[in-house]
Amino acid sequence: MLLAGDFGKAPATRCCSENGDQRKNIKEKSDINIAALVGNERVCEGTDNGDLPSYVAEFIEKEVGNDLKSLKKLDKLIEQMTESKMHLEEQVLTVSSEIPKRIQSALKNAEESKQFLNHFLEQESHLFSSINSHLLTAQPWIEDLGAMINQIEEIERHLAYLKWISQIEELSDNIQQYLMTNNVLEAASTLVSMAELDIKLQESSCTHLLGFMRATVKFWHKILKDKLTSDFEEILAQLHWPFIAPPQSQTVGISRPASAPEIYSNLETLFCQLLKLQTSDELLTEPKQLPEKYSLPASPSVILPIQIMLTPLQKRFRYHFRGNRQTNVISKLEFSRGLMMLVLEKLAADIPCLLYDDSLFCHLVDEVLLFERELHSVHGYPSTFANCMHILSEETCFQRWLTVERKFALQKMDSMLSSEAAWISQYKDITDVDEMKVPDCAETFMTLLLVITDRYKNLPAASRKLQFLELQKDLVDDFRIRLTQVMKEETRASLGFRYCAILNAVNYISTVLADWADNVFFLQLQQAALEVFAENNTLSKLQLGQLASMESSVFDDMINLLERLKHDMLTRQVDHVFREVKDAAKLYKKERWLSLPSQSEQAVMSLSSSACPLLLALRDRLLQLEQQLCFSLFKSFWQMLVEKLDIYIYQEIILANHFNEGGAAQLHFDMTRNLFPLFSHYCQRPENYFKHVKEACIVLNLNTGSALLLRDVLQSTSGQPPATAALNEVGIYKLAQQDVEILLNLRTNWPNTGK
């Protein structure tokens, strides 16, 4: 077997029959032509990878192998490889000769394209100038045509206006003709068309046309309604409507009219004709709706013929059960109680079928609560009698009610927080109303809690009311968590509009809950909770005592959490503004207080230039937050800020420097005439909030004699009452004796006593 390392060496037996020249020629031809076998993929891979010797060794081993007689094939192989090499060389020469031609062709095409492009650019320039020239020539025509088009459009609008008037008058004339020929059905149909035109015109800005249309519809509607109502009531009277007696007595006491089929036919005809007036009646009549806080689904108006049929029943009901009638007395409530039992039986039978349909169950609860309210407030039904609230208090029904209330409350919270107007106050443009700057989401949430309270306050059992109270507290906590999450997203902009709106919302909810805690209803619930907790031993004696003495309320836990959140948010705002003020005060800290001219050397005292950035930053932030925070929050904010500012100026500016007479006077002027007045809009005596700074200025600006006397008194009566009296005499109440001594040592304008 021929190894790769022995490539180019012939076997010993072959060397005997071939001379050295032949071996040399064979080796050269082999080296030259071996790469010509391009048809084989392994050749390409081997040569590409630089592994030609390995491939040649494999090739020789495959063609020759261990059989020395196979060497006879070498001449044939060399001949084949030589032909392949020549063929490849021809291909290379062919390609080499074609490439310059292709390049020349491409260059020629590019040159032609450039010429075409230049030609097009020349045409474009010519066209551009021609168009501009044409536009300049046509400009007067355009203006004239524009004026004519405007006139045409104006005429078209007038024409359309007249067409509408003509159409209205045509319909009006048709109704009049139909009524003159007693064709009420066609008149009613024409009125329907007129009402539909009125609806189409609602988006028009032609107020006079709208008024004319509405007046015309109202005119014919009244005529047709009065006529048809009169005829309809006459037919109902013939049928002895309303049927208030039992069917048996009706058949015995009242004979059936002989023309009953005709009466019923007329009834049907008039009913259909009245239905034709439904569109115009809905257009002209304001529907009676329940308050929005009940969140009842929208329902269509009762059709006109049914309204007419209900009129005598409504009159009888109002006559008997309202006012001072004998039928509207407490003694007749036995009759009401009997009717109520029928209602309770029906309600108890229907509720199990509606428990798992949220919309129907919620609608049922709404109707029951509305019915109960009207029953007690309008008809004076005693709350001690059986009522529908007892049915709703049944365990299964009540738990379902709680679940549905929680579900819809959470959905409402999601909706109010995702609203575009969630953080905008509804009363932002009304100063007198918008004192608390309450965002819409917070007001909507508290209205939601108020509605829930209104829904469960008439429950007969206190334990059921307490469960609803726990639901309200859970909702408050959930809303607080949501506000906290939104607040964390706005932390980087703690002075921004949304952050302030969240803070206003927290403050509003906390304030309202504190007010509710003093409400009689919640005080009664607190007493009921006290009894329950005492029975179950769930609270300590101290907590029970606090509840019993009214020191705490049912909302204390929620109020404490909200107050903590409010304090944290206010603190973050104060820290933000304080950092800005400190940055603005860097130059003021470095003021040369030792070398400032005295007050007598200056014509007029003026604010230190280095204090301007500090005061400007402070003023801008105060104005911004005064507009964005409610009054109570802003008051807390500026008082917290002043407390930090007072300590900062006292420790970082005053105690860190020495003052000559001019420096002390300048500091006093900057503080009393510029810094303190910034807060005069918010309180009468702002200097009382800067006690450290105010008293330090007093000490630094004492005349030399008073300062010497005060220093002597302090040194001679350390810690004694005379020292306190001496400090009070010069207006020092906040600073300790040691602080005053330090401040006295910061003065540099002492007389030279030789000590």
Side-chain angles (χ1 to χ4, degrees):
M1 182 175 180
L2 187 64
L3 300 176
D6 298 329
F7 176 71
K9 299 179 182 179
T13 55
R14 190 64 181 245
C15 289
C16 296
S17 58
E18 296 177 354
N19 56 30
D21 294 335
Q22 289 176 330
R23 286 198 303 272
K24 184 176 181 182
N25 292 336
I26 291 173
K27 183 176 183 301
E28 289 176 354
K29 292 179 180 179
S30 175
D31 290 340
I32 292 172
N33 298 321
I34 194 63
L37 298 176
V38 294
N40 192 324
E41 294 180 358
R42 294 179 62 189
V43 175
C44 298
E45 294 175 359
T47 55
D48 289 342
N49 297 331
D51 197 14
L52 183 61
S54 299
Y55 169 73
V56 172
E58 292 178 4
F59 177 77
I60 296 299
E61 184 176 357
K62 178 180 177 183
E63 296 296 332
V64 179
N66 296 327
D67 188 6
L68 297 179
K69 296 180 180 180
S70 299
L71 292 174
K72 297 178 180 179
K73 301 178 182 178
L74 287 177
D75 292 336
K76 186 176 181 181
L77 286 174
I78 291 171
E79 184 178 352
Q80 292 176 353
M81 287 186 286
T82 303
E83 292 177 357
S84 298
K85 177 190 175 193
M86 294 174 63
H87 180 65
L88 288 173
E89 289 176 347
E90 290 176 357
Q91 289 181 346
V92 170
L93 290 174
T94 303
V95 170
S96 299
S97 60
E98 289 179 353
I99 286 176
K101 295 179 180 178
R102 293 181 181 178
I103 293 174
Q104 291 177 357
S105 175
L107 290 174
K108 183 179 180 181
N109 292 336
E111 187 65 29
E112 292 176 353
S113 299
K114 181 179 178 182
Q115 293 176 358
F116 277 120
L117 180 60
N118 291 333
H119 179 66
F120 290 148
L121 288 174
E122 291 175 359
Q123 290 182 341
E124 187 267 342
S125 177
H126 177 70
L127 286 174
F128 182 76
S129 59
S130 300
I131 291 171
N132 284 337
S133 174
H134 179 72
L135 289 175
L136 291 174
T137 305
Q139 186 63 34
W141 300 350
I142 293 174
E143 294 175 356
D144 294 341
L145 287 175
M148 294 177 65
I149 290 171
N150 290 335
Q151 293 177 0
I152 292 171
E153 290 177 348
E154 184 70 19
I155 294 172
E156 287 179 345
R157 285 194 295 270
H158 292 168
L159 183 61
Y161 194 94
L162 293 174
K163 285 181 178 179
W164 277 103
I165 294 177
S166 174
Q167 191 173 1
I168 296 169
E169 291 179 342
E170 181 182 355
L171 291 173
S172 181
D173 292 342
N174 291 341
I175 294 175
Q176 185 176 8
Q177 292 295 328
Y178 289 136
L179 288 178
M180 292 175 64
T181 58
N182 203 26
N183 191 348
V184 179
L185 181 61
E186 289 299 326
S189 300
T190 307
L191 181 60
V192 172
S193 302
M194 187 180 290
E196 291 174 349
L197 282 181
D198 192 323
I199 295 172
K200 290 180 181 178
L201 277 174
Q202 292 306 307
E203 298 180 357
S204 173
S205 59
C206 301
T207 54
H208 296 293
L209 180 62
L210 289 173
F212 175 66
M213 168 64 89
R214 182 59 57 88
T216 307
V217 172
K218 186 176 182 179
F219 174 79
W220 290 117
H221 175 80
K222 184 178 186 305
I223 293 176
L224 285 170
K225 184 178 179 180
D226 291 346
K227 175 178 174 53
L228 292 175
T229 300
S230 176
D231 295 344
F232 193 64
E233 288 176 343
E234 184 178 347
I235 293 294
L236 291 176
Q238 294 178 17
L239 292 173
H240 305 289
W241 175 264
F243 307 139
I244 56 176
Q248 294 83 1
S249 62
Q250 283 186 2
T251 14
V252 173
I254 302 173
S255 59
R256 182 181 179 87
S259 58
E262 183 181 353
I263 292 176
Y264 285 121
S265 175
N266 291 338
L267 177 69
E268 181 179 355
T269 301
L270 289 170
F271 195 97
C272 295
Q273 290 174 351
L274 282 168
L275 278 179
K276 292 281 187 179
L277 303 183
Q278 185 69 27
T279 303
S280 56
D281 192 70
E282 291 178 355
L283 193 65
L284 299 172
T285 307
E286 188 70 23
K288 296 181 179 180
Q289 294 181 346
L290 294 171
E292 292 183 359
K293 65 181 180 179
Y294 296 113
S295 302
L296 295 178
S299 58
S301 303
V302 178
I303 58 176
L304 187 57
I306 297 297
Q307 292 181 28
I308 299 171
M309 295 179 69
L310 288 173
T311 301
L313 295 174
Q314 292 171 347
K315 289 180 180 178
R316 288 173 180 269
F317 187 86
R318 293 191 181 104
Y319 178 86
H320 287 290
F321 299 106
R322 289 189 182 181
N324 298 322
R325 302 294 177 187
Q326 292 182 351
T327 51
N328 189 27
V329 293
I330 298 298
S331 59
K332 305 295 182 180
L333 281 167
E334 189 66 17
F335 176 72
S336 301
R337 193 162 66 90
L339 292 177
M340 177 59 68
M341 294 308 298
L342 297 176
V343 174
L344 297 183
E345 291 175 5
K346 173 65 174 173
L347 193 60
D350 288 348
I351 279 181
C353 304
L354 304 175
L355 281 177
Y356 301 103
D357 189 323
D358 289 350
S359 58
L360 287 179
F361 181 78
C362 188
H363 181 66
L364 171 70
V365 172
D366 290 340
E367 290 294 332
V368 167
L369 295 175
L370 181 63
F371 174 73
E372 280 289 317
R373 179 176 303 170
E374 185 173 355
L375 190 67
H376 293 290
S377 61
V378 178
H379 306 295
Y381 187 81
S383 58
T384 55
F385 285 4
N387 55 59
C388 298
M389 302 304 290
H390 291 85
I391 303 297
L392 292 181
S393 298
E394 186 269 333
E395 179 66 20
T396 304
C397 178
F398 183 77
Q399 293 301 327
R400 185 61 182 163
W401 185 12
L402 273 178
T403 302
V404 171
E405 288 285 347
R406 183 186 300 273
K407 173 184 175 182
F408 284 102
L410 292 175
Q411 290 178 356
K412 184 70 175 176
M413 288 163 60
D414 292 336
S415 174
M416 67 180 72
L417 286 173
S418 59
S419 169
E420 293 181 357
W423 307 109
I424 301 174
S425 172
Q426 297 180 2
Y427 315 106
K428 61 179 180 178
D429 299 325
I430 309 175
T431 308
D432 296 336
V433 181
D434 196 32
E435 291 181 356
M436 297 195 72
K437 295 181 173 58
V438 186
D440 184 67
C441 63
E443 187 166 6
T444 307
F445 175 71
M446 296 311 293
T447 304
L448 173 66
L449 291 185
L450 190 62
V451 170
I452 292 175
T453 303
D454 198 47
R455 289 163 69 85
Y456 78 84
K457 69 179 181 181
N458 291 323
L459 284 169
S463 59
R464 297 302 192 196
K465 296 178 184 177
L466 288 174
Q467 292 184 57
F468 258 103
L469 178 62
E470 288 301 316
L471 169 62
Q472 289 179 301
K473 292 167 68 175
D474 290 344
L475 292 176
V476 171
D477 195 51
D478 186 272
F479 196 74
R480 178 187 62 82
I481 293 172
R482 295 175 187 230
L483 289 179
T484 305
Q485 291 172 345
V486 180
M487 179 271 292
K488 290 181 179 178
E489 297 174 0
E490 301 293 327
T491 301
R492 294 186 177 180
S494 58
L495 303 182
F497 170 79
R498 179 174 290 191
Y499 191 93
C500 292
I502 298 169
L503 185 52
N504 287 329
V506 173
N507 179 69
Y508 174 73
I509 296 171
S510 177
T511 304
V512 173
L513 291 179
D515 291 340
W516 286 2
D518 297 329
N519 184 277
V520 174
F521 174 74
F522 289 107
L523 289 175
Q524 293 172 346
L525 282 187
Q526 182 173 342
Q527 184 62 33
L530 179 64
E531 296 173 1
V532 172
F533 294 146
E535 291 176 0
N536 299 335
N537 294 324
T538 54
L539 292 179
S540 66
K541 292 183 179 180
L542 176 61
Q543 291 172 321
L544 288 174
Q546 290 175 340
L547 280 175
S549 62
M550 301 300 174
E551 293 179 4
S552 62
S553 70
V554 291
F555 295 110
D556 270 4
D557 294 338
M558 296 298 99
I559 293 174
N560 291 336
L561 290 173
L562 290 167
E563 287 296 318
R564 185 185 304 171
L565 176 59
K566 180 176 75 173
H567 182 266
D568 291 342
M569 295 181 69
L570 269 177
T571 302
R572 187 173 286 111
Q573 287 188 322
V574 170
D575 291 340
H576 185 103
V577 175
F578 184 62
R579 285 195 300 270
E580 291 184 352
V581 172
K582 284 202 303 183
D583 290 339
K586 289 179 179 179
L587 292 177
Y588 194 64
K589 286 176 60 177
K590 299 177 180 179
E591 188 68 58
R592 301 179 62 186
W593 304 103
L594 276 172
S595 57
L596 293 179
S598 64
Q599 189 171 358
S600 60
E601 298 174 358
Q602 302 182 57
V604 179
M605 291 287 291
S606 61
L607 174 66
S608 300
S609 59
S610 58
C612 291
L614 182 154
L615 296 177
L616 286 174
L618 192 59
R619 182 204 63 182
D620 293 343
R621 289 309 186 188
L622 287 173
L623 290 176
Q624 175 188 352
L625 292 173
E626 184 183 15
Q627 294 175 357
Q628 294 182 351
L629 295 179
C630 70
F631 175 80
S632 60
L633 285 175
F634 179 69
K635 181 179 179 182
S636 300
F637 165 80
W638 73 257
Q639 288 180 355
M640 293 168 63
L641 178 62
V642 163
E643 183 179 356
K644 296 174 70 72
L645 198 58
D646 180 41
I647 298 298
Y648 172 76
I649 295 175
Y650 176 71
Q651 293 181 348
E652 301 295 328
I653 296 178
I654 297 177
L655 294 182
N657 290 282
H658 286 75
F659 298 82
N660 66 354
E661 181 182 352
Q666 184 65 52
L667 177 68
H668 183 268
F669 181 86
D670 292 344
M671 297 297 106
T672 59
R673 300 290 297 276
N674 293 279
L675 176 61
F676 298 170
L678 278 180
F679 298 88
S680 61
H681 299 287
Y682 319 125
C683 62
Q684 292 183 351
R685 299 182 63 85
E687 63 273 14
N688 290 339
Y689 292 90
F690 290 90
K691 292 184 178 179
H692 290 87
V693 175
K694 182 185 74 170
E695 295 184 0
C697 288
I698 292 175
V699 175
L700 293 174
N701 284 276
L702 285 173
N703 60 56
T704 306
S706 299
L708 285 170
L709 181 59
L710 179 61
R711 185 173 64 175
D712 292 339
V713 171
L714 294 179
Q715 290 176 352
S716 60
T717 59
S718 177
Q720 299 299 320
T724 304
L727 292 175
N728 294 344
E729 187 177 352
V730 297
I732 308 299
Y733 299 92
K734 177 71 174 176
L735 296 178
Q737 178 178 338
Q738 295 81 358
D739 297 329
V740 175
E741 292 176 353
I742 293 172
L743 288 169
L744 289 172
N745 291 330
L746 296 178
R747 294 170 56 115
T748 61
N749 56 332
W750 295 107
N752 187 4
T753 59
K755 295 183 181 179

